[in-house]
Amino acid sequence: TTQIMDYFINRYSLTERQRVQSVVVDLNAQYCHFIKRIFPNAEIVIDRFHIIQLAGRVLDQARIQAFQTISDHRSRLYRILKSHWRLFHQN
């Protein structure tokens, strides 16, 4: 992180860095700590890929919890939740 900070601070003046309106990041929390120092006026935006990836993980966890509560492993609902997981990831 120090190398990233040094890169921007040494190459761009504060005036230039203050003109940055938004910075797109992944879900790494370390970035958020130093982005505000480097780009004081920038809005931090999480990129779409990571938002969708996170939503997919949460959906999978909910699906798994749901089918684990079904005691009849031969039931239609259990089989659908267990085997057709790809359907939950489609548009």
Side-chain angles (χ1 to χ4, degrees), residues 3-67:
Q3 292 175 337
I4 295 171
M5 286 183 63
D6 289 344
Y7 177 84
F8 285 104
I9 290 173
N10 294 328
R11 284 177 177 69
Y12 302 98
S13 69
L14 178 60
T15 307
E16 290 175 308
R17 291 183 282 122
Q18 285 175 331
R19 287 188 291 187
V20 174
Q21 295 176 359
S22 60
V23 176
V24 179
V25 296
D26 61 13
L27 293 173
N28 187 336
Q30 288 183 345
Y31 293 143
C32 296
H33 292 296
F34 65 83
I35 285 175
K36 279 298 180 186
R37 281 189 252 153
I38 299 171
F39 307 107
N41 299 326
E43 178 182 352
I44 298 174
V45 179
I46 300 171
D47 70 294
R48 289 180 188 169
F49 171 80
H50 287 91
I51 291 173
I52 291 172
Q53 185 182 48
L54 182 62
R57 281 190 204 141
V58 171
L59 184 60
D60 278 342
Q61 288 174 351
R63 179 186 58 81
I64 290 168
Q65 283 179 346
F67 82 71

Side-chain angles (χ1 to χ4, degrees), residues 73-88:
H73 291 206
R74 294 182 188 153
S75 73
R76 183 170 187 253
L77 180 59
Y78 180 87
R79 287 182 308 191
I80 288 170
L81 290 172
K82 177 90 171 158
S83 62
H84 297 296
W85 60 269
R86 286 181 190 90
L87 295 175
F88 294 98

